[in-house]
Amino acid sequence: MKIAELDGRRITDLASFHQQASELLDFGPYYGRNFNALWDRLSRDVERPVRIRWLHASTSRAALGEATFAKIVDIFERAAREDREYNALHRLEFELIDP
C-alpha cells in the first residue's frame, strides 16, 4: 500500500494545501485546485490502495481556519467511506496525525 503524507507544517493557506496535495497524489496539470476538483480526483483518479496521512494536522487547522480545514477533511473522509461502503478491494484510507 502506498503511503502519502501531507506535511501540515508546509500548509499555510488553501493554495499551499492544493499545491502539496496535487504533487503528493499526482493530480496532474489540469487539477482545478478547488473542493470539487479535490473530490473528483480523490474519488476517481487516485490510484489505490493508498493511505493518506495528514501529519501536523492541528498546524494546518490553525493556518486554514476551522471551516476550510473541516471541509477538506470531510472530502478525504467521504472518499475513504465510499471505498469502504462499496467494499472496494483496494481502498483509499485517510488519517489525521499530530505528533
Side-chain angles (χ1 to χ4, degrees):
M1 171 180 290
K2 175 182 177 180
I3 297 177
E5 294 182 334
L6 289 164
D7 184 350
R9 297 170 297 186
R10 292 182 40 225
I11 297 172
T12 58
D13 56 17
L14 191 53
S16 63
F17 162 77
H18 283 296
Q19 180 66 34
Q20 191 176 156
S22 177
E23 290 171 2
L24 186 68
L25 299 168
D26 195 27
F27 287 166
Y30 302 108
Y31 174 55
R33 298 178 189 277
N34 60 61
F35 295 139
N36 289 332
L38 178 63
W39 168 252
D40 289 345
R41 295 294 182 165
L42 289 175
S43 64
R44 298 185 186 119
D45 299 331
V46 172
E47 187 174 341
R48 284 139 167 83
V50 62
R51 175 176 292 138
I52 301 168
R53 303 173 75 213
W54 193 333
L55 307 174
H56 304 281
S58 61
T59 302
S60 300
R61 177 182 281 129
L64 293 168
E66 188 61 41
T68 299
F69 180 81
K71 178 68 175 172
I72 294 168
V73 168
D74 179 63
I75 293 168
F76 278 108
E77 289 179 341
R78 209 167 19 125
R81 185 171 53 249
E82 188 176 272
D83 282 3
R84 285 191 311 272
E85 288 174 357
Y86 288 111
N87 204 24
L89 179 60
H90 300 291
R91 299 178 184 180
L92 181 146
E93 298 175 3
F94 175 69
E95 60 186 325
L96 297 172
I97 298 176
D98 274 303

